[in-house]
Amino acid sequence: MQPKIMMKKKSISASKASLVLFLCQMISALDVPLDLSQPPTITQQSPKDYIVDPRENIVIQCEAKGKPPPSFSWTRNGTHFDIDKDAQVTMKPNSGTLVINIMNGGKAEAYEGVYQCTARNERGAAISNNIVIRPSRSPLWTKEKLEPNQVREGDSLVLHCRPPVGLPPPIIFWMDNAFQRLPQSERVSQGLNGDLYFSNVQPEDTREDYICYARFNHTQTIQQKQPISVKVFSMDSLNDTIAANLSDTDIYGARPVTERQPVLLTPTGSTSTKVELRGNVLLLECIAAGLPTPVIRWIKEGGELPANRTFFENFKKTLKIIDVSEADSGNYKCIARNTLGSAHHVISVTVKAAPYWITAPRNLVLSPGEDGTLICRANGNPKPSISWLANGVPIAIAPEDPSRKVDGDTIIFSHVQERSSAVYQCNASNEYGYLLANAFVNVLAEPPRILTPANKLYQVIADSPALLDCAYFGSPKPEIEWFKGVKGSILRGSEYIFHDNGSLEIPVAQKDSTGTYTCVARNKLGKTQNEVQLEIKDPTVIIKQPEYKVIQRYGQVSFECVIKHDSTLLPTVIWLKDNDELPDDERFLVGKDNLTIMNVTDKDDGTYTCIVNTTLDSVSASAVLTVVARPNPPFDLELTGQLERSVELSWIPGDENNSPITNFVIEYEDGLHEPGVWHFQTEVPGTQTTVQLKLSPYVNYSFRVIAVNEIGRSQPSEPSEQYLTKSSNPDENPSNVQGIGSEPDNLVITWESLKGFQSNGPGLQYKVSWRQKDVDDEWTSVIVANVSKYIVSGTPTFVPYEIKVQALNDLGYAPEPSEVIGHSGEDLPMVAPGNVQVHVINSTLAKVHWDPVPLKTVRGHLQGYKVYYWKVQSLSRRSRRHVEKKILTFRGNKTFGMLPGLEPYSTYKLNVRVANGKGEGPASPDKVFRTPEGVPSSPSFLKITNPTLDSLTLEWGSPTHPNGVLTSYILKFQPINNTHELGPMVEIRIPANESSLILKNLNYSTRYKFYFNAQTSVGSGNQITEEAVTIMDEGKMAMASRQVDIATQGWFIGLMCAVALLILILLIVCFIRRNKGGKYPVKEKEDAHADPEIQPMKEDDGTFGEYSDAEDHKPLKKGSRTPSDRTVKKEDSDDSLVDYGEGVNGQFNEDGSFIGQYSGKKEKEPAEGNESSEAPSPVNAMNSFV
């Protein structure tokens, strides 16, 4: 939102500036046109205090206007200055400006003095200010002998400049012989009088070229004082010889450097006074000596320092208040403070004031017989006195005029006449200065005239003020009226403002303000008018402003500035960076509506402003670009407070690159053990620049610091200095100690070795100790080096051992280590589980039980028990397959387990073994068990062959997995008609030894669905399905067609409707042709009205020749059947197509018609020719359910 606010401010400022311009014209709107008689008016003059360059000609300006043109004269030091008698002085033609020729022999000093110009014509005389002419001076320094300054370290010192008095006063600065400015600080600074003050001197202040320079700007010259030498003595560096040469008076030099509380060097004393004039800059100064260097603070007693006008300079030693007023009078206190105390000084400030205008007199134009006043009011401190002059002469001795009366600061005129015309001067003066103003009284009788050009065009932005000018003159003063349009009425009301100078202001101009405006001026001597035009334009608006952007270094950024403007105005778009022109860099691309910066660098950071200017308005919008990057690396790493086990590290952060540093990462390098490898030490917040680091003995440390912000990590800093810690005995022992045997007669002890810096000293070794647990044995120990494993041989098999590993170096042992329990090596288990029992739960699941073996016989860590089982024989089949043993593992000390996935009606064997980490023990004796019968799998196939009019032949294969003794097969079948309805179900039981069956007495041309499965004594297995169709009897086709009532068929009804529509169309065509006299052929008529029911049948397929329905000719799919694992179930609705749902992919059109067809999976396609090769006609389809 900020850019919008900035944009509005710009627009308002432009409108205000326009308004102020017009209002300023009001003051001069009643100026008398130069073609009319008028007294002189001074238009230009030199300043009151005029300092001139003595090397150049002196030009004293005095310009005036009047009718008739005025003549000029001068006074010098109060007497007439006859320029004709001085060959060096000339006056410019038609001007009162004097030129004094200095460059051709004249001397500027000869023309010093007070000058005043008088411009005069027949209607009066105007005078200029008193102009004081003084040539500038830049004198040389007086020669002086400068003694070297010898001062003790810590003492204060003042180097005096004492520049020569010049006109104007010079600017003072201190430099050395190389013309380099001397550095200044809170300790060393220059005072307002030009002296150089040292609050306390330091050895680095010793030098021989302290030079004070005075620059005289008026003459562009610089004067140089002789160099001043300063030598600072430090008592630590004095030798006995120098001390012996010091006299008793120099005894201060023998004192040690001590701290001192502040003492003011300037101003002296506790109080002082200062007088300043209103409107000037108030400068107050306090400089103090002391060690440590004092700090200055300013307060105003009984009040606050003025906000927005108070500034501190010279390291707060100077208080600056600009544009002072009487309210700034008071007591100002400066306080100098250091750690030992404070000093203060009170400056009493009085603000006086030279005269300043309250109401300056203004020219007065009157017609004969009118009244008027001249008012001259001024203020000051002290209050100024007011005096009047008439035509340059004190009014008391000026010729009398009966029409005027002086009343203090006012002159009253009554019934003036033409002879009353004159120029009056008002002089307001006090001890600090004076004001002089000319104002004429011009008596004229003139009819109105309008000075604004006719038909002037004004263009204004909508919703801004419109000011229409009507500059006029007349005497008496004319009355002004405004009209809109040719026949418009006079303008009145609050929506208009009428100014005294004749201008019409429309505070908020709208689109309907456009038009012609007429200004009418009238007085008793006449009337005149003028027309001006006003056009209202749409404002310029930035509709898409630049937005705040954060971009990483070397990226690309774009600011948008899309504008909308009046079509008649031509906008120009300017981009600024930080209120200055864009850098001259090809990376900055200015487009029509945007600014793009390529390859952004840190210097591109700043505020970017889009300024849109037209001839009438200006708008702008700004956005800030923040360039972010990874931080610069820290620097100046320093180690302090070095101890055996800690050190303090400090650093200076690098530039954060506009993204705050979130944390610092400290890394270390061990130059003794791992040179070149840096390790993480610690991390601290981004506000911290020091850290206490814990150290290990016998490490040669170097540290570096990495700064981190949201963008990433900085480059590492330069390494710190190295710090080698002292050696010590180890602080810790190896970790992850373990004892595991690799063979039945050994114990392998392993551990993780200490890292280099963990050794704490040279000669790192390990003391390995062990003893058998729960046996009263002594510890056996061995010391090894550079290894992390030790093998103990000759141990008993799988017994527990107590183990410990202790670190040591040349300085001693680490603390006593903790003990761990390990075991010697394992061997294979000795015995097999006993009492193995099997409980058969069902035909596919059995549970096995066993007794656990004694733990001593396991000879290792018990892993669990493994059950090996395999099928020996299938009782329902004679064939034997490859024996595949299966293994189930039961973790821990379990004594039972479940055997899933067994095959029904089979013989199995199993055994059980115990396992440890070494392997498996011996197997238990094999246990034999049998699984009971189960339901069989589905028959392996079902084929339907040899279809006849009333019979079908079925062939099948036995189940792949009988899972028992087959007892029979179950066959179910039912007919399916063309509307997909199922007929009655028929069930047949078939002996198990059969593999085919002929079904007789079936309906001809009928589709049947078959369901077939096998049975054991346990139950029925899964079924398979198949479909087949009996063949068609062609001899009965005609009889079937006569038996069917086709009048009730939907296709026939639709056909009849189509024929009726066709006949109606033919009748209409016939009627039209008959009315036209045309002939209608009888043959065509008979053909068109042929009866579809007596059309001959096609002999080849038995269908109607021309009107058969194509949809009815589509044959059913061959040999389709439902999947073998699903059955047909008839739902409650007789019309449901899902009743045949085993593999039916039925779909419906949008009108609800069925577009699917029977489909099914089958193991093998039936032989070709099982179905009729002829597609059934609609009649045959209907007959299938008869």
Side-chain angles (χ1 to χ4, degrees):
M1 295 301 292
Q2 186 64 27
K4 287 187 178 180
I5 297 174
M6 296 178 68
M7 181 183 68
K8 291 181 180 178
K9 286 185 177 179
K10 281 280 185 180
S11 298
I12 293 172
S13 299
S15 301
K16 286 187 175 179
S18 176
L19 179 60
V20 169
L21 177 62
F22 275 96
L23 294 180
C24 289
Q25 292 176 353
M26 291 172 55
I27 300 174
S28 58
L30 295 181
D31 283 354
V32 181
L34 286 177
D35 61 337
L36 298 178
S37 297
Q38 56 184 293
T41 300
I42 300 290
T43 59
Q44 192 172 2
Q45 56 182 317
S46 294
K48 293 179 182 179
D49 191 7
Y50 189 16
I51 299 175
V52 298
D53 189 335
R55 300 167 298 182
E56 297 179 355
N57 292 340
I58 301 173
V59 179
I60 310 176
Q61 290 184 328
C62 180
E63 304 290 341
K65 66 178 182 176
K67 181 69 174 182
S71 60
F72 297 90
S73 61
W74 285 87
T75 62
R76 177 183 174 189
N77 298 327
T79 61
H80 177 66
F81 181 35
D82 191 350
I83 61 176
D84 295 332
K85 294 183 179 181
D86 192 332
Q88 302 295 331
V89 181
T90 58
M91 184 183 295
K92 291 184 178 181
N94 303 318
S95 168
T97 297
L98 295 182
V99 178
I100 302 175
N101 195 333
I102 301 299
M103 302 178 69
N104 288 336
K107 291 186 177 180
E109 292 79 4
Y111 293 94
E112 286 192 65
V114 180
Y115 293 78
Q116 189 172 44
C117 170
T118 301
R120 186 185 307 275
N121 68 10
E122 62 187 27
R123 285 189 170 253
I127 61 175
S128 70
N129 293 321
N130 286 329
I131 302 170
V132 179
I133 301 296
R134 294 185 295 170
S136 63
R137 288 185 286 272
S138 52
L140 299 174
W141 247 290
T142 57
K143 290 186 178 181
E144 55 182 329
K145 185 178 181 181
L146 299 177
E147 296 292 336
N149 290 273
Q150 298 185 357
V151 60
R152 185 177 69 93
E153 179 184 356
D155 285 353
S156 62
L157 175 65
V158 180
L159 300 183
H160 298 287
C161 182
R162 299 189 184 97
V165 178
L167 186 67
I171 297 173
I172 306 300
F173 52 93
W174 289 79
M175 295 173 52
D176 58 16
N177 276 333
F179 297 100
Q180 299 297 316
R181 285 186 178 269
L182 296 175
Q184 299 192 22
S185 62
E186 289 184 342
R187 186 178 64 86
V188 182
S189 61
Q190 178 182 315
L192 294 177
N193 63 353
D195 293 345
L196 191 63
Y197 292 85
F198 295 77
S199 295
N200 53 80
V201 295
Q202 301 296 327
E204 59 265 25
D205 297 328
T206 297
R207 63 191 309 154
E208 297 180 352
D209 58 348
Y210 286 94
I211 305 173
C212 181
Y213 289 86
R215 183 174 66 211
F216 297 90
N217 282 346
H218 216 80
T219 58
Q220 295 297 310
T221 58
I222 296 178
Q223 303 292 347
Q224 173 184 335
K225 186 182 177 74
Q226 290 180 318
I228 302 175
S229 174
V230 174
K231 186 170 184 180
V232 179
F233 291 104
S234 173
M235 296 311 298
D236 294 337
S237 62
L238 288 178
N239 55 41
D240 295 338
T241 303
I242 296 176
N245 292 332
L246 295 176
S247 63
D248 293 341
T249 59
D250 296 326
I251 193 64
Y252 70 88
R255 293 176 297 168
V257 177
T258 57
E259 294 183 340
R260 293 174 289 104
Q261 68 180 19
V263 175
L264 288 173
L265 297 176
T266 183
T268 58
S270 60
T271 62
S272 60
T273 61
K274 172 81 171 180
V275 176
E276 192 56 79
L277 293 181
R278 178 181 182 272
N280 287 355
V281 176
L282 173 65
L283 293 174
L284 304 178
E285 180 181 58
C286 275
I287 301 177
L291 186 67
T293 303
V295 176
I296 306 296
R297 186 168 67 92
W298 291 89
I299 61 172
K300 182 180 181 182
E301 293 182 343
E304 298 290 335
L305 295 174
N308 303 323
R309 294 189 294 115
T310 301
F311 303 92
F312 297 101
E313 297 179 346
N314 198 18
F315 308 97
K316 292 192 176 181
K317 299 173 187 178
T318 302
L319 171 65
K320 177 180 178 181
I321 302 176
I322 63 173
D323 193 22
V324 294
S325 64
E326 289 85 343
D328 295 320
S329 297
N331 293 331
Y332 292 81
K333 178 187 285 188
C334 69
I335 303 169
R337 187 184 303 276
N338 67 8
T339 56
L340 299 183
S342 63
H344 67 270
H345 184 92
V346 177
I347 305 173
S348 179
V349 175
T350 302
V351 178
K352 298 292 185 178
Y356 56 91
W357 291 117
I358 296 176
T359 304
R362 297 176 59 185
N363 293 337
L364 190 60
V365 179
L366 300 173
S367 64
E370 281 191 317
D371 302 334
T373 59
L374 288 178
I375 300 174
C376 177
R377 290 178 185 159
N379 201 359
N381 186 11
K383 188 172 181 63
S385 60
I386 303 295
S387 61
W388 287 97
L389 295 87
N391 296 325
V393 178
I395 201 165
I397 60 175
E400 290 188 6
D401 183 351
S403 65
R404 77 172 179 238
K405 177 183 177 183
V406 178
D407 184 9
D409 58 7
T410 304
I411 301 179
I412 303 170
F413 298 92
S414 303
H415 303 289
V416 296
Q417 300 300 320
E418 189 172 351
R419 64 178 179 276
S420 301
S421 296
V423 181
Y424 292 88
Q425 290 81 34
C426 172
N427 185 300
S429 61
N430 65 12
E431 60 185 281
Y432 298 107
Y434 74 93
L435 294 173
L436 178 68
N438 291 278
F440 64 66
V441 175
N442 195 13
V443 181
L444 293 172
E446 285 292 327
R449 62 170 72 180
I450 295 178
L451 307 177
T452 300
N455 292 313
K456 184 176 181 180
L457 175 62
Y458 293 90
Q459 294 179 327
V460 177
I461 295 295
D463 298 325
S464 298
L467 283 161
L468 309 182
D469 190 17
C470 185
Y472 66 91
F473 183 78
S475 185
K477 181 180 178 181
E479 294 180 358
I480 303 298
E481 293 178 330
W482 282 91
F483 300 84
K484 183 180 180 184
V486 179
K487 297 182 179 180
S489 59
I490 187 171
L491 298 180
R492 294 189 178 90
S494 59
E495 64 268 28
Y496 301 103
I497 299 175
F498 303 95
H499 293 286
D500 289 342
N501 67 343
S503 295
L504 168 66
E505 179 182 353
I506 306 174
V508 182
Q510 304 291 341
K511 280 288 189 179
D512 57 4
S513 301
T514 300
T516 301
Y517 290 80
T518 302
C519 165
V520 178
R522 59 166 57 91
N523 66 9
K524 63 182 180 180
L525 299 178
K527 166 187 168 185
T528 188
Q529 67 180 39
N530 186 38
E531 291 182 353
V532 295
Q533 307 296 323
L534 176 62
E535 291 181 357
I536 307 300
K537 304 292 185 179
D538 291 326
T540 305
V541 180
I542 300 178
I543 57 177
K544 194 163 187 180
Q545 304 178 14
E547 297 178 348
Y548 173 72
K549 295 291 181 70
V550 177
I551 189 71
Q552 290 192 31
R553 187 187 296 163
Y554 309 125
Q556 176 178 324
V557 68
S558 182
F559 291 107
E560 290 189 287
C561 185
V562 181
I563 63 173
K564 179 182 178 183
H565 60 91
D566 191 284
S567 59
T568 63
L569 300 178
L570 182 62
T572 58
V573 179
I574 301 173
W575 286 91
L576 302 178
K577 179 183 183 296
D578 297 328
N579 295 323
D580 203 351
E581 292 183 358
L582 290 178
D584 185 11
D585 192 329
E586 62 183 9
R587 297 182 302 107
F588 288 78
L589 306 177
V590 178
K592 177 183 177 183
D593 298 323
N594 58 46
L595 167 66
T596 301
I597 308 173
M598 313 287 290
N599 196 22
V600 173
T601 66
D602 294 337
K603 293 181 180 180
D604 300 330
D605 199 276
T607 300
Y608 289 83
T609 303
C610 165
I611 300 177
V612 185
N613 293 318
T614 68
T615 54
L616 298 181
D617 63 349
S618 176
V619 292
S620 68
S622 298
V624 174
L625 173 62
T626 300
V627 180
V628 296
R630 296 185 299 171
N632 291 351
F635 57 95
D636 282 357
L637 273 64
E638 183 179 7
L639 296 178
T640 56
Q642 289 92 338
L643 300 174
E644 288 187 3
R645 293 296 183 99
S646 68
V647 70
E648 184 176 273
L649 173 66
S650 61
W651 62 90
I652 297 176
D655 193 335
E656 63 184 18
N657 292 324
N658 293 322
S659 181
I661 295 175
T662 57
N663 55 287
F664 292 100
V665 177
I666 293 88
E667 296 180 340
Y668 73 91
E669 175 196 31
D670 182 2
L672 196 62
H673 302 98
E674 294 180 290
V677 180
W678 290 90
H679 302 276
F680 174 82
Q681 172 83 15
T682 188
E683 187 173 319
V684 298
T687 56
Q688 189 172 327
T689 57
T690 60
V691 63
Q692 194 78 19
L693 301 175
K694 293 182 179 180
L695 306 179
S696 296
Y698 195 54
V699 177
N700 192 14
Y701 282 101
S702 289
F703 299 98
R704 69 183 188 184
V705 183
I706 300 171
V708 183
N709 64 9
E710 288 186 357
I711 310 304
R713 295 161 62 102
S714 72
Q715 292 294 321
S717 67
E718 292 295 324
S720 69
E721 59 181 304
Q722 291 187 332
Y723 177 48
L724 177 62
T725 54
K726 294 182 179 180
S727 300
S728 174
N729 52 322
D731 293 325
E732 52 188 310
N733 288 300
S735 59
N736 197 23
V737 177
Q738 293 182 334
I740 302 174
S742 61
E743 298 294 338
D745 61 348
N746 74 5
L747 171 67
V748 180
I749 302 173
T750 59
W751 62 91
E752 287 188 11
S753 300
L754 298 181
K755 298 187 182 302
F757 72 90
Q758 294 176 307
S759 65
N760 287 5
L764 176 65
Q765 294 177 301
Y766 301 101
K767 180 182 179 182
V768 184
S769 304
W770 68 92
R771 68 180 178 183
Q772 190 172 339
K773 190 176 184 297
D774 300 328
V775 178
D776 190 16
D777 280 352
E778 295 293 329
W779 287 95
T780 302
S781 300
V782 63
I783 295 178
V784 297
N786 301 321
V787 295
S788 60
K789 179 174 71 172
Y790 184 78
I791 300 176
V792 181
S793 303
T795 63
T797 300
F798 196 68
V799 295
Y801 278 86
E802 294 176 321
I803 303 168
K804 58 183 179 180
V805 180
Q806 186 178 24
L808 68 151
N809 61 18
D810 292 348
L811 280 80
Y813 284 87
E816 184 67 21
S818 58
E819 301 171 5
V820 299
I821 302 299
H823 287 81
S824 57
E826 297 179 87
D827 205 347
L828 294 176
M830 299 173 62
V831 299
N835 193 24
V836 177
Q837 302 291 329
V838 178
H839 172 61
V840 177
I841 297 176
N842 56 38
S843 62
T844 61
L845 180 65
K847 184 175 183 181
V848 58
H849 292 262
W850 61 87
D851 290 340
V853 300
L855 289 179
K856 288 185 178 181
T857 66
V858 175
R859 298 200 296 179
H861 296 287
L862 177 63
Q863 300 291 325
Y865 291 87
K866 293 186 177 182
V867 178
Y868 286 73
Y869 65 100
W870 62 97
K871 187 172 72 171
V872 178
Q873 182 182 8
S874 175
L875 299 178
S876 60
R877 290 179 296 183
R878 295 182 180 180
S879 61
R880 297 179 58 87
R881 295 186 300 173
H882 173 70
V883 176
E884 179 183 356
K885 289 188 177 182
K886 298 180 180 179
I887 305 172
L888 286 178
T889 301
F890 300 93
R891 298 290 178 186
N893 201 21
K894 293 191 68 174
T895 59
F896 67 91
M898 306 298 290
L899 304 181
L902 303 177
E903 291 188 11
Y905 205 50
S906 299
T907 301
Y908 280 88
K909 286 185 179 182
L910 66 78
N911 59 52
V912 183
R913 311 177 193 192
V914 65
N916 64 12
K918 187 72 173 178
E920 299 175 3
S924 65
D926 291 348
K927 190 74 175 179
V928 179
F929 66 96
R930 293 180 178 178
T931 55
E933 287 188 82
V935 296
S937 64
S938 61
S940 58
F941 67 89
L942 174 63
K943 288 196 245 180
I944 304 174
T945 60
N946 302 325
T948 65
L949 288 175
D950 62 350
S951 68
L952 293 169
T953 300
L954 279 67
E955 297 177 358
W956 61 86
S958 59
T960 306
H961 300 286
N963 294 338
V965 178
L966 294 181
T967 59
S968 64
Y969 291 102
I970 303 297
L971 174 65
K972 297 178 183 180
F973 63 94
Q974 58 188 152
I976 306 172
N977 64 13
N978 280 0
T979 59
H980 313 297
E981 294 179 349
L982 296 173
M985 181 74 73
V986 178
E987 180 175 332
I988 300 175
R989 184 177 295 272
I990 305 170
N993 59 352
E994 298 289 340
S995 62
S996 64
L997 176 68
I998 298 176
L999 285 177
K1000 298 181 179 181
N1001 299 322
L1002 300 177
N1003 295 330
Y1004 66 89
S1005 187
T1006 301
R1007 178 174 289 278
Y1008 287 90
K1009 188 167 187 178
F1010 298 91
Y1011 310 89
F1012 192 71
N1013 61 352
Q1015 281 189 334
T1016 64
S1017 59
V1018 177
S1020 299
N1022 294 329
Q1023 65 182 7
I1024 59 175
T1025 64
E1026 185 60 273
E1027 294 181 8
V1029 181
T1030 56
I1031 65 176
M1032 182 183 302
D1033 185 358
E1034 297 182 0
K1036 298 181 180 181
M1037 190 66 191
M1039 183 184 296
S1041 65
R1042 290 194 295 270
Q1043 291 176 347
V1044 176
D1045 185 5
I1046 62 174
T1048 62
Q1049 300 302 307
W1051 63 269
F1052 182 75
I1053 296 172
L1055 180 61
M1056 291 299 101
C1057 291
V1059 171
L1061 180 61
L1062 181 60
I1063 292 173
L1064 179 61
I1065 294 173
L1066 291 175
L1067 289 174
I1068 294 172
V1069 172
C1070 179
F1071 178 75
I1072 294 174
R1073 294 187 64 178
R1074 185 184 298 273
N1075 289 341
K1076 291 183 177 180
K1079 295 182 179 180
Y1080 189 78
V1082 175
K1083 181 71 170 65
E1084 293 177 7
K1085 183 175 181 182
E1086 291 175 351
D1087 292 341
H1089 288 79
D1091 189 348
E1093 293 190 24
I1094 62 174
Q1095 294 295 321
M1097 297 178 61
K1098 291 185 179 180
E1099 295 180 357
D1100 55 346
D1101 60 2
T1103 60
F1104 292 108
E1106 289 186 295
Y1107 301 103
S1108 62
D1109 190 342
E1111 290 295 328
D1112 292 333
H1113 292 187
K1114 292 182 180 178
L1116 294 171
K1117 266 189 154 182
K1118 293 182 180 180
S1120 62
R1121 63 183 179 90
T1122 57
S1124 61
D1125 58 343
R1126 300 180 63 185
T1127 59
V1128 176
K1129 181 180 180 183
K1130 184 161 183 170
E1131 301 293 342
D1132 295 338
S1133 172
D1134 291 337
D1135 296 331
S1136 173
L1137 298 176
V1138 187
D1139 290 348
Y1140 317 85
E1142 309 306 320
V1144 174
N1145 295 321
Q1147 297 181 358
F1148 289 83
N1149 285 330
E1150 289 180 296
D1151 60 357
S1153 61
F1154 185 71
I1155 62 172
Q1157 55 186 346
Y1158 295 113
S1159 64
K1161 298 179 181 177
K1162 52 182 183 173
E1163 295 179 2
K1164 186 175 181 181
E1165 288 289 332
E1168 294 293 334
N1170 288 350
E1171 296 183 3
S1172 172
S1173 61
E1174 298 175 351
S1177 70
V1179 176
N1180 291 337
M1182 290 185 290
N1183 285 337
S1184 63
F1185 282 125
V1186 175

